[in-house]
Amino acid sequence: MEEKRRSRGWCGWFLVFIVLAAIGFAVFLTLKHKVHKSKEPEAEPVPGPPGAVTQKYADALKVAMQFFDIQKSGKLVDNKISWRGDSALKDGRDANLDLSKGMFDAGDHMKFGFPMAFTATVLSWTILEYGDQLKVVNQLESAQDSLMWITDYLINCHPKDNVLYVQVGSPKVDHGCWDRPEDMKQERPLVQVNTSAPGTEVAAETAAALASASLVFKTTNSTYSNVLLKHAEQLFTFADKYRGSYSISIPEAQTYYNSTGYGDELLWAASWLYHATGEKAYFEYVTGKNGDDYANWGSPTWFSWDDKLAGTQVLLSRINFFGSKDVLNSNILQKYRQSAEAVMCGLLPKSPTATSSRTDSGLVWISPWNALQHPAASAFLAVIYSDYMLTSQTAKISCDGHYFRPSDLRKFAISQVDYILGSNPMKMSYLVGYGDKYPQYVHHRGASIPTDATTGCKDGFKWLESNEPNPNIAIGALVGGPFLNESFIDSRNNSMQTEPSTYNSAVIVGLLSGLVTTSSVVQSFT
């Protein structure tokens, strides 16, 4: 009997202990939740109209914009570059087309449609997001002019529904010469994609370029805007119906601008066409089977001329932030936004999922060839996404439970552009013409040859080999940039590090346009 009483007494106290422990644990969880919630950031203020200008970025933007003028092909109107003149006036005549406009790709005289169309799309996106900021620093008209110089060319490259000219010049012949574009005498063959030799990625990227540009010119030149949109829709239909990689149809493309797949371009183009037309079919395209096939949700990628997924995810996030109620509840749209946030989390240095692909000084570094394209493009997306958050009063993104604010994304973008402009171990600006120290031996034919020199195809190579700095400054050129160890060899023969490109210019202009001042973004491009 005594044993039973003791047993009951012990059991009673044990039950009391369990109850008290449970209450204590519940109190602990409640307090922890409150403390955790208290650490969540509040929404940062919505920027008003463009505010104070950050002068160093305004100066850098003015410099960067000028490289587009340096790269212009054709009969130059209101030429602002003293050492440039008319060139490639006969481009396209073999097909009874005027393909004299457009822009040279890099330090050579090739016109590659794939990266050139990407240049136009990024430039359009920049104008649509930051046109008010460009206007404040007197660069909007210049940006629109450069965009139209490319889109005029792209329109002429599309003479029939299922034909698109995607290259002017032979890389082998072109790279066998070192001459000024004004003095070119070599053959300039044309390359096209069509129904029997498809090129889905280049046709879709061109569609994206023309659709986005149609929005840029919608209020200022509605006739031109309508022409752009008509070509964009036709090209998208061609790209989607006749699927095939242009790298297979045009084997030489593999050496220069090899495509790793066309699914990203199809989603990118459809996203831009949805913004341009508002047609639900384009929205259903990116949120239906094609999204399942190509979106690669949750797997961050690097935004570039070859891979548009990160850009697509950010662009479709815009709809999730600001779109109409009939699309806001789309689960697939939410997946795009979550993927965009995964991209952002990979960029933020203090994020648990931050990429380790950086130099010791914090520059995002992916490839030894043209290393600066990735940090500039990534920072451009970060600025845009931070502005979507600010305008929509979105306080934070969560990276594995760690919260980050729009200002954190902007801080990352500033770290990348400041490195490019001179805050680096070399104490050198990689944007030619900005700052006191920048590359003097840019791998660029026109910049390397004096305007009064008389050279042919082959004898011009003496200027490539010359130990003298370039006689002409390729102002605004964003060169390839540093190695992983942050060294840089300023040599014309070092094309890996010293060659600029038009698509580099597009992303650095976009980045600087987003940082030059602050303002809320428009909630609709139309």
Side-chain angles (χ1 to χ4, degrees):
M1 189 67 138
E2 191 65 33
E3 283 291 323
K4 286 184 178 178
R5 282 194 190 132
R6 283 182 190 154
S7 177
R8 283 176 189 158
W10 183 85
C11 287
W13 282 111
F14 182 72
L15 286 172
V16 169
F17 174 77
I18 292 293
V19 170
L20 289 173
I23 293 170
F25 187 65
V27 170
F28 169 75
L29 286 178
T30 302
L31 289 172
K32 183 181 177 184
H33 182 64
K34 284 183 178 179
V35 170
H36 184 68
K37 283 196 74 174
S38 70
K39 290 182 179 179
E40 292 187 28
E42 295 180 357
E44 296 174 345
V46 179
V53 169
T54 304
Q55 195 57 47
K56 69 175 180 179
Y57 298 143
D59 294 341
L61 179 59
K62 183 178 179 180
V63 168
M65 199 73 74
Q66 293 178 66
F67 191 64
F68 292 127
D69 290 327
I70 287 173
Q71 295 302 91
K72 283 181 179 177
S73 166
K75 188 168 185 61
L76 303 185
V77 180
D78 190 24
N79 181 23
K80 302 178 182 70
I81 308 299
S82 62
W83 50 273
R84 279 300 327 277
D86 298 344
S87 63
L89 297 177
K90 296 180 181 180
D91 279 3
R93 285 192 185 178
D94 292 350
N96 295 315
L97 299 172
D98 179 8
L99 302 184
S100 61
K101 279 189 174 182
M103 293 186 185
F104 300 123
D105 177 60
D108 56 12
H109 303 147
M110 290 296 300
K111 294 179 188 174
F112 291 114
F114 193 29
M116 196 195 307
F118 174 72
T119 298
T121 312
V122 171
L123 196 49
S124 292
W125 197 5
T126 297
I127 295 168
L128 291 168
E129 300 286 8
Y130 299 119
D132 57 344
Q133 302 186 180
L134 284 163
K135 191 172 183 178
V136 165
V137 292
N138 300 314
Q139 294 303 316
L140 178 57
E141 188 177 329
S142 216
Q144 291 169 329
D145 172 72
S146 294
L147 174 60
M148 187 176 282
W149 201 268
I150 298 176
T151 54
D152 282 352
Y153 167 81
L154 294 177
I155 288 170
N156 289 352
C157 284
H158 183 227
K160 293 188 286 187
D161 281 7
N162 298 324
V163 172
L164 178 67
Y165 286 89
V166 299
Q167 184 176 298
V168 180
S170 159
K172 184 176 180 181
V173 172
D174 186 85
H175 293 171
C177 294
W178 193 270
D179 52 1
R180 298 174 69 244
E182 295 80 3
D183 299 331
M184 278 192 298
K185 293 183 175 59
Q186 56 266 33
E187 291 296 311
R188 305 271 291 168
L190 308 176
V191 178
Q192 66 170 248
V193 293
N194 49 49
T195 55
S196 57
T200 294
E201 52 276 274
V202 65
E205 181 58 64
T206 307
L210 299 180
S212 55
S214 75
L215 287 165
V216 170
F217 297 109
K218 190 167 187 176
T219 57
T220 58
N221 191 337
S222 59
T223 301
Y224 187 66
S225 174
N226 290 335
V227 170
L228 290 167
L229 188 55
K230 178 183 176 184
H231 282 277
E233 293 188 292
Q234 290 174 349
L235 280 164
F236 181 75
T237 300
F238 167 48
D240 190 38
K241 184 177 180 180
Y242 298 95
R243 294 190 182 188
S245 174
Y246 99 119
S247 291
I248 295 173
S249 298
I250 310 167
E252 69 179 4
Q254 296 171 25
T255 306
Y256 300 96
Y257 289 101
N258 183 48
S259 170
T260 55
Y262 55 69
D264 54 314
E265 278 84 20
L266 287 172
L267 297 178
W268 175 241
S271 302
W272 276 113
L273 280 161
Y274 176 69
H275 279 285
T277 65
E279 291 182 13
K280 198 170 182 181
Y282 292 118
F283 181 79
E284 291 172 346
Y285 188 96
V286 298
T287 56
K289 184 178 184 301
N290 293 288
D292 290 334
D293 289 345
Y294 302 126
N296 202 19
W297 292 302
S299 300
T301 52
W302 298 105
F303 185 48
S304 72
W305 57 265
D306 177 45
D307 193 339
K308 317 303 175 353
L309 275 182
T312 302
Q313 290 153 4
V314 171
L315 182 63
L316 290 176
S317 295
R318 164 178 264 284
I319 303 170
N320 193 265
F321 279 115
F322 307 120
S324 57
K325 290 181 180 178
D326 61 326
V327 296
L328 279 179
N329 295 326
S330 164
N331 291 331
I332 303 302
L333 197 61
Q334 189 63 34
K335 284 187 178 183
Y336 280 107
R337 179 168 166 181
Q338 289 167 352
S339 298
E341 294 194 356
V343 172
M344 298 303 127
C345 290
L347 300 177
L348 292 162
K350 294 182 180 179
S351 163
T353 56
T355 179
S356 59
S357 300
R358 303 176 200 262
T359 68
D360 289 345
S361 299
L363 179 76
V364 167
W365 196 95
I366 309 303
S367 166
W369 279 96
N370 194 13
L372 290 177
Q373 65 170 318
H374 292 109
S378 299
F380 171 58
L381 294 186
V383 169
I384 290 176
Y385 203 84
S386 71
D387 286 338
Y388 291 172
M389 292 176 68
L390 284 172
T391 302
S392 64
Q393 283 283 270
T394 302
K396 65 186 186 299
I397 59 172
S398 176
C399 304
D400 275 10
H402 290 66
Y403 298 120
F404 296 92
R405 298 154 65 99
S407 55
D408 294 316
L409 288 170
R410 196 172 182 90
K411 183 180 178 182
F412 160 75
I414 287 170
S415 74
Q416 302 302 290
V417 78
D418 283 356
Y419 186 107
I420 290 169
L421 297 180
S423 295
N424 55 63
M426 297 295 293
K427 305 299 180 188
M428 170 184 282
S429 166
Y430 292 110
L431 182 66
V432 177
Y434 178 83
D436 297 326
K437 181 185 178 185
Y438 48 81
Q440 301 295 307
Y441 296 84
V442 179
H443 184 92
H444 189 278
R445 290 186 210 164
S448 71
I449 303 174
T451 53
D452 59 356
T454 303
T455 59
C457 167
K458 299 295 185 183
D459 57 349
F461 277 102
K462 66 184 179 184
W463 301 108
L464 171 64
E465 305 296 339
S466 169
N467 292 324
E468 295 296 317
N470 287 353
N472 308 309
I473 299 175
I475 191 165
L478 179 62
V479 297
F483 287 135
L484 181 57
N485 66 5
E486 303 188 270
S487 65
F488 179 81
I489 301 167
D490 190 8
S491 166
R492 266 189 298 273
N493 267 312
N494 181 18
S495 57
M496 184 183 289
Q497 289 190 293
T498 66
E499 187 169 19
S501 65
T502 51
Y503 52 90
N504 272 14
S505 291
V507 291
I508 193 66
V509 162
L511 173 56
L512 289 165
S513 299
L515 293 175
V516 73
T517 182
T518 56
S519 65
S520 54
V521 296
V522 295
Q523 298 201 12
S524 171
F525 292 146
T526 56

